[in-house]
């Protein structure tokens, strides 16, 4: 968590210079490859953060929800954003410009320290994910994705709160839409999950955890 001491006059000015932006469902608010101009905090809503892989294939890096920072990977020495971000529902964003953030970091040692810890934690998560996901089968990656979404977004009426297409599941799990459909079909027959259209319900959380327990790893929320 990044702490902001508003008693610092410069930090107060930084907070006052924020902008509120509203995005419609499906609207892209960070363009991959665009010049870095600031970062965003999600106040309400959800978004997917992605980057373009080989042959233009989209790879979803993570899903972001209320209170999470988006666009920080492009901040610092980067000239352009290495990722893109799209609102998955109507979303309210808090935007801080690159210039105002730099001024705040230079004026507050505490904020700079908290940002350093934040980046270190993000790097550790990223490295752990890459190492472990590379050792998982397609089925295990799909299961891990389901458990990650369940932990992060929870359920309503027994169904996961984040509605995704089969392609979005595939783009996050690093597989194809066809393989996701086949895996979901197998998991339904084995009574691990249920499905109604885009809605997915997890019927046996512990059973799914047991399926990937050998990796001793679960994606952070």
């Amino acid at each position: 968590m990044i702490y902001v001491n508003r008693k610092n006059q410069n930090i107060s000015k930084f907070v006052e210079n924020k902008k509120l932006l509203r995005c419609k469902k499906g609207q892209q608010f960070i363009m991959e490859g665009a010049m870095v101009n600031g970062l965003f905090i999600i106040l309400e809503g959800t978004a997917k953060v992605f980057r373009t892989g080989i042959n233009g294939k989209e790879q979803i890096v993570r899903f972001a929800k209320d209170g999470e920072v988006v666009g920080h990977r492009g901040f610092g020495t980067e000239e352009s954003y290495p990722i893109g971000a799209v609102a998955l529902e109507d979303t309210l964003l808090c935007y801080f410009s690159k210039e105002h953030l730099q001024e705040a970091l230079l004026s507050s040692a505490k904020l700079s320290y908290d940002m350093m810890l934040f980046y270190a934690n993000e790097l550790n998560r990223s490295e752990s994910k890459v190492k472990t996901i590379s050792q998982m089968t397609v089925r295990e990656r799909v299961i891990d994705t389901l458990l990650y979404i369940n932990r992060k977004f929870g359920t309503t009426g027994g169904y996961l709160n984040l509605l995704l297409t089969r392609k979005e599941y595939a783009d996050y799990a690093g597989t194809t839409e066809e393989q996701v459909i086949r895996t979901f079909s197998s998991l339904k027959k084995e009574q691990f999950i249920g499905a109604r259209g885009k809605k997915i319900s997890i019927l046996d959380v512990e059973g799914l955890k047991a399926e990937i327990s050998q990796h001793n790893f679960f994606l952070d929320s």
Side-chain angles (χ1 to χ4, degrees), residues 41-214:
I41 297 175
I42 298 179
L43 298 182
E44 298 174 7
T46 56
K48 66 177 179 181
V49 181
F50 66 91
R51 64 191 314 160
T52 304
I54 299 173
N55 298 322
K57 179 176 173 56
E58 182 179 292
Q59 177 188 0
I60 297 178
V61 177
R62 66 187 176 99
F63 296 101
K65 64 175 184 177
D66 302 4
E68 293 191 15
V69 180
V70 181
H72 56 282
R73 292 182 184 274
F75 184 78
T77 59
E78 296 285 344
E79 295 292 329
S80 59
Y81 289 111
I83 52 89
V86 174
L88 292 175
E89 59 183 332
D90 289 352
T91 298
L92 177 62
L93 301 167
C94 180
Y95 168 76
F96 294 99
S97 73
K98 180 179 179 179
E99 291 73 25
H100 287 138
L101 182 54
Q102 287 174 330
E103 289 177 9
L105 290 171
L106 288 171
S107 67
S108 172
K110 183 65 172 69
L111 180 59
S112 296
Y113 179 71
D114 286 344
M115 282 290 286
M116 182 185 71
L117 293 180
F118 171 70
Y119 275 99
N121 189 42
E122 286 288 298
L123 180 59
N124 286 335
R125 290 183 183 185
S126 179
E127 289 178 343
S128 295
K129 176 182 174 182
V130 170
K131 178 181 177 181
T132 306
I133 291 298
S134 66
Q135 300 171 354
M136 287 182 169
T137 65
V138 169
R139 177 184 170 96
E140 288 170 337
R141 292 201 302 270
V142 172
I143 288 173
D144 205 51
T145 300
L146 288 169
L147 290 173
Y148 157 67
I149 293 170
N150 182 59
R151 280 196 312 281
K152 183 160 189 170
F153 296 95
T155 61
T156 298
Y159 292 96
L160 295 174
N161 282 325
L162 186 64
L163 292 180
L164 301 174
T165 65
R166 300 301 188 260
K167 182 179 183 303
E168 286 170 328
Y169 276 106
D171 290 343
Y172 185 83
T175 185
T176 65
E177 187 175 356
E178 292 74 18
Q179 287 176 316
V180 165
I181 291 171
R182 285 198 293 270
T183 303
F184 277 6
S185 179
S186 296
L187 294 175
K188 285 168 62 179
K189 288 178 182 177
E190 297 166 50
Q191 298 187 343
F192 283 119
I193 68 171
R196 188 176 69 186
K198 284 187 181 181
K199 293 184 176 181
I200 300 292
S201 61
I202 297 182
L203 307 177
D204 186 358
V205 173
E206 294 306 315
L208 290 180
K209 286 182 178 180
E211 288 270 322
I212 59 172
S213 62
Q214 63 176 322

